[in-house]
Amino acid sequence: MTTIPRQSPVHAAARNNALWCAAMSRTHGVTGTFTDDAWAAPVRTPPYYPDAVTLAPGADAAALVARIDTAAPGATVKDSFGDLDLTGAGFRVLFEARWIHRPAGAPVPRPAPAWDVVRDAETLRAWAVAWDDGNGDAGLFGPALLDTPDIHVIAAHDTRGRVAAGAVLNRGADTVGVSNVFSRDTASGTAWPGALDAAHRLCPGLPVVGYEHGDDLTAALRHGFAALGPLRIWLKP
């Protein structure tokens, strides 16, 4: 088995993502705990957010599963190093993805106009509705997110003042994580220049990390990211 250095970009990306999942969960009243090998929450986290995120390879699968609620349907684990086997605990692989990393010194595209930080509940609601695109999950992003340190919800507006594109930035583990990248009228790949410019302005001097798969991974690679190690999302139906 290949040994991954403790301070590798994969470790940083996984910890950054766990910090984001922990912060998002707290806005829904769910508090998880960090150990050396994983972050985990004892009750169900918000939709699209895992109940556990591994922080190091070789995590004890049985101990990790014991830290989350597997009695209720829908338990999920983000296997950050793609090295767990949770089939014995009733899980199946929901999807696989790759961590992505963009160096701090990489050239930053300049969108026109620059994206703004969302600072009030009304704009956040408009952002969430645009992100959700009619799927019924706009309530996932509540006003408490605006008061969460090191997290920026960012948005671009069209000529009529509507939210046209957006993303979320979270600073942690000496990186800035980017997630929930979307564009209302075109493919999400067109939103990357705005998200990267905002990351550079709001969190200067930090590499940008995240994870993607499929067409979204292709778009990220086109905008200067490198694909790192694999990850898996496990689901217990």
Side-chain angles (χ1 to χ4, degrees), residues 11 46 70 83 98 111 130-131 145-146 151 160 181 191 195 202-203 205:
H11 281 90
T70 58
D83 64 348
R98 297 288 294 271
W131 165 84
L145 198 61
L146 300 176
I151 291 178
R160 290 178 288 176
V181 180
L202 296 168
C203 306

Side-chain angles (χ1 to χ4, degrees), residues 107-118:
V108 177
R110 299 294 180 186
W115 288 21
D116 300 317
V117 176
V118 173

Side-chain angles (χ1 to χ4, degrees), residues 34-85:
F34 282 87
T35 60
D36 287 343
D37 61 356
W39 171 84
V43 297
R44 188 66 71 250
T45 49
Y48 309 117
Y49 289 83
D51 300 293
V53 181
T54 61
L55 302 174
D60 185 321
L64 182 63
V65 169
R67 293 173 60 190
I68 65 176
D69 177 10
T70 58
T76 54
V77 172
K78 183 171 289 176
D79 175 8
S80 299
F81 300 87
D83 64 348
L84 296 182
D85 183 356

Side-chain angles (χ1 to χ4, degrees), residues 110-214:
R110 299 294 180 186
W115 288 21
D116 300 317
V117 176
V118 173
R119 301 192 184 279
D120 62 85
E122 183 179 357
T123 306
L124 179 62
R125 176 64 183 176
W127 181 99
V129 169
W131 165 84
D132 179 60
D133 195 26
N135 290 318
D137 293 310
L140 185 61
F141 297 90
L145 198 61
L146 300 176
D147 299 321
T148 305
D150 295 322
I151 291 178
H152 302 287
V153 180
I154 53 174
H157 293 81
D158 63 19
T159 55
R160 290 178 288 176
R162 301 182 311 158
V163 173
V168 175
L169 305 176
N170 71 291
R171 182 172 183 159
D174 296 321
T175 62
V176 53
V178 60
S179 61
N180 299 282
V181 180
F182 73 92
S183 180
R184 188 168 192 166
D185 299 321
T186 56
S188 63
T190 63
W192 278 108
L196 291 171
D197 176 63
H200 176 73
R201 287 186 289 109
L202 296 168
C203 306
L206 293 179
V208 183
V209 297
Y211 75 92
E212 299 290 355
H213 66 106

